[in-house]
Amino acid sequence: MTEKNTVTIIGGGLAGCEAAWQIAERGCKVCLIDMKPLRFSPAHHSEKLGELVCSNSLRSNDRTSAVGLLKEEMHRCNSLMMRIAYETQVPAGKALAVDREKFAARITEIMANHPLIEITRQEIFAIPTPAHGNPPVILATGPLTSDPLAESLAELTGRKRLAFYDAIAPIVAADSLDMSIIYCKSRYDDGPGDYLNCPMDKDTYLKFIDALGKAECMPLQEFEEAKYFEGCLPVEVIRSRGDDTLRFGPMKPVGLADPKTGEDPYAVVQLRKENREGTTYNMVGFQTKLTYPEQQRIFRLIPGMAKAEFARLGSIHRNTFVLSPELLQPTLQFKIRPDLLLAGQLSGVEGYVESAAMGLLAGINGARLVQGLALVVPPRETALGSLVFHLTESDPLRFQPSNINFGLFPAWEKKIRKKYRGEERAQRSLAALEKWQLAVNL
């Protein structure tokens, strides 16, 4: 597709597919370009579009949480990702987790069958130059953007790109776990007990963190700098910050009383279903850059995992993002090139939901560019607007990728009791979203 009214999207992940859906549903043509299976990033393995890599969890479903509110806003904006997530949902307490294979398969099917979307399997080495009439281009290649394309982006912006490192948690086979030790329970019994819990007493915990602290990690390449996103630290990095950091982090035992003793263990490793069938489980919060042999040795020290078989071991990869406060308009257009929009984690958001949310907004504005309509920016009071504000109004010297959180929202104009703040945020946000949708005819 090369027509003037065609939007080109580079990248077939969550952001790219969400953008394609938003554009096509508005009657505009889309050329969706993805390099798989011609080439895979270090973290991707499937030929399917919309592949989830790090986890199968989309986090809290409660609209009184920031991410739950963001999901509700996206749902009200006809988000494809949210619709398919609920179609392929697996039990995870109050969290929204999906069957990753079914999720990607369904996204791929919808993209392939939409009459206004054409999929091209091709690696793009440079950002397309502006064409006659400047048909829009959306760059949604994600945090693992290839080196040639990242270099092209750096040349376009004239600024050195930034990088941080993200680690992937291991997945274990359910039938290799010792259920005489492990027990099912959600924290504070909040839900039907969708998590498996591996309890540790103090002695076991100290032996575990001692082994973890001495374990061998994968070395960084010469060009790499160890710069981690605080919201997704490798488990060994957390351990290096003190003996109790894991017990107050991913191994927090509070609210997870062992039914055998009726008391909270000293520490707990939680496992979450990776698929509907419950044949595999994800090690919650156990992102890691340990070598593969060390992962197997260390993680088999966890009670109930002595004979664990790993369906996937953890790994580390470079994540790339741009300095959005200096480069992007609130419409997600580049300041220096309005026909080029940025979507997904490359823009400086963190997380699957946030990535898809930026794809949603880039898609809406990409379609409006083609249609000759004024571009839109969601209200500051909304989760969508707060993410955009973070990307475009943050101090460039302090800018760091971020998940959605209430700290990004406008400050309260009056004191509100803490237990009411979540619902108050939700009501204000959804009211502002509805008013905005009516005003811009979304």
Side-chain angles (χ1 to χ4, degrees):
M1 292 181 182
T2 58
E3 298 120 6
K4 182 178 178 180
N5 67 340
T6 297
V7 181
T8 298
I9 300 175
I10 306 174
L14 298 190
C17 290
E18 182 68 57
W21 170 259
Q22 294 295 329
I23 294 165
E25 286 296 286
R26 286 167 171 76
C28 301
K29 295 180 180 180
V30 178
C31 179
L32 179 61
I33 304 173
D34 193 76
M35 69 180 185
K36 299 187 301 183
L38 302 178
R39 182 181 172 189
F40 291 88
S41 78
H44 290 84
H45 305 285
S46 171
E47 296 183 7
K48 298 182 180 69
L49 303 174
E51 180 185 1
L52 302 178
V53 176
C54 183
S55 170
N56 70 331
S57 175
L58 302 182
R59 311 191 328 268
S60 175
N61 234 358
D62 186 349
R63 77 173 198 169
T64 63
S65 70
V67 72
L69 178 55
L70 178 60
K71 289 202 283 281
E72 178 61 24
E73 292 178 9
M74 293 172 66
H75 171 69
R76 296 189 183 199
C77 291
N78 189 33
S79 167
L80 176 66
M81 295 302 127
M82 290 302 99
R83 194 184 94 196
I84 303 308
Y86 286 112
E87 285 184 14
T88 59
Q89 186 175 5
V90 297
K94 286 190 175 181
L96 174 59
V98 302
D99 184 310
R100 294 200 291 185
E101 285 296 320
K102 290 183 173 65
F103 178 86
R106 187 75 178 106
I107 294 295
T108 304
E109 178 187 15
I110 290 172
M111 293 292 105
N113 292 329
H114 199 293
L116 293 179
I117 298 175
E118 178 182 302
I119 300 172
T120 300
R121 301 287 188 164
Q122 175 187 354
E123 183 174 2
I124 301 297
F125 297 98
I127 297 169
T129 56
H132 178 68
N134 289 347
V137 174
I138 297 177
L139 186 61
T141 48
L144 299 180
T145 296
S146 67
D147 287 342
L149 194 55
E151 289 295 337
S152 176
L153 180 58
E155 289 178 10
L156 172 71
T157 61
R159 305 181 192 282
K160 185 179 180 181
R161 68 184 187 274
L162 304 176
F164 67 97
Y165 295 84
D166 198 11
I168 296 174
I171 296 173
V172 298
D175 59 9
S176 68
L177 301 172
D178 186 347
M179 297 306 297
S180 68
I181 297 173
I182 298 171
Y183 58 93
C184 298
K185 193 179 186 67
S186 294
R187 200 175 300 277
Y188 303 113
D189 292 316
D190 187 9
D194 294 326
Y195 291 81
L196 300 184
N197 299 275
C198 306
M200 289 188 183
D201 57 25
K202 184 175 182 178
D203 184 59
T204 303
Y205 173 78
L206 292 176
K207 289 179 180 177
F208 174 75
I209 64 169
D210 180 64
L212 184 62
K214 297 175 181 176
E216 181 182 359
C217 295
M218 290 292 294
L220 296 175
Q221 300 296 324
E222 291 182 2
F223 61 86
E224 293 179 326
E225 175 187 359
K227 184 178 181 182
Y228 302 106
F229 171 51
E230 287 294 319
C232 195
L233 288 173
V235 65
E236 61 274 5
V237 173
I238 300 174
R239 188 269 169 269
S240 70
R241 296 181 175 183
D243 288 353
D244 287 324
T245 50
L246 284 171
R247 291 180 61 249
F248 289 93
M251 295 179 67
K252 181 172 65 175
V254 178
L256 293 171
D258 189 333
K260 296 184 181 69
T261 65
E263 298 180 356
D264 290 343
Y266 192 75
V268 164
V269 174
Q270 286 199 298
L271 308 174
R272 180 182 57 233
K273 275 187 181 180
E274 181 69 16
N275 54 28
R276 282 180 173 172
E277 295 76 16
T279 57
T280 54
Y281 278 78
N282 188 292
M283 296 180 67
V284 178
F286 266 66
Q287 303 89 345
T288 183
K289 61 186 181 70
L290 297 179
T291 64
Y292 284 177
E294 289 287 74
Q295 287 183 52
Q296 296 181 70
R297 180 179 71 87
I298 300 297
F299 296 152
R300 284 174 180 152
L301 297 175
I302 297 170
M305 291 181 56
K307 298 181 180 179
E309 296 178 6
F310 295 90
R312 182 192 71 191
L313 288 164
S315 65
I316 187 165
H317 53 268
R318 187 197 69 205
N319 280 358
T320 303
F321 62 97
V322 304
L323 189 57
S324 293
E326 292 189 358
L327 300 175
L328 293 187
Q329 301 180 49
T331 55
L332 301 184
Q333 297 168 284
F334 277 89
K335 294 177 181 178
I336 61 173
R337 190 175 151 183
D339 67 301
L340 181 65
L341 298 93
L342 195 61
Q345 286 184 252
L346 191 57
S347 67
V349 296
E350 241 317 298
Y352 291 142
V353 179
E354 293 85 345
S355 178
M358 295 303 98
L360 182 149
L361 293 175
I364 290 172
N365 279 330
R368 293 178 78 92
L369 272 175
V370 167
Q371 296 165 335
L373 300 174
L375 273 61
V376 296
V377 179
R380 177 77 171 87
E381 296 84 0
T382 63
L384 287 165
S386 293
L387 274 177
V388 170
F389 188 86
H390 167 70
L391 295 182
T392 59
E393 299 297 331
S394 294
D395 179 354
L397 297 178
R398 299 177 182 272
F399 181 68
Q400 184 180 19
S402 179
N403 296 112
I404 185 64
N405 62 80
F406 285 136
L408 302 182
F409 282 64
W412 294 108
E413 71 282 359
K414 62 180 181 179
K415 288 186 177 181
I416 296 177
R417 292 182 64 183
K418 186 176 181 180
K419 69 177 182 178
Y420 299 127
R421 290 176 187 171
E423 183 56 34
E424 180 72 16
R425 284 286 191 202
Q427 291 181 11
R428 293 188 186 192
S429 175
L430 297 176
L433 182 75
E434 182 179 7
K435 184 177 179 181
W436 174 66
Q437 288 177 300
L438 289 172
V440 299
N441 194 27
L442 284 184

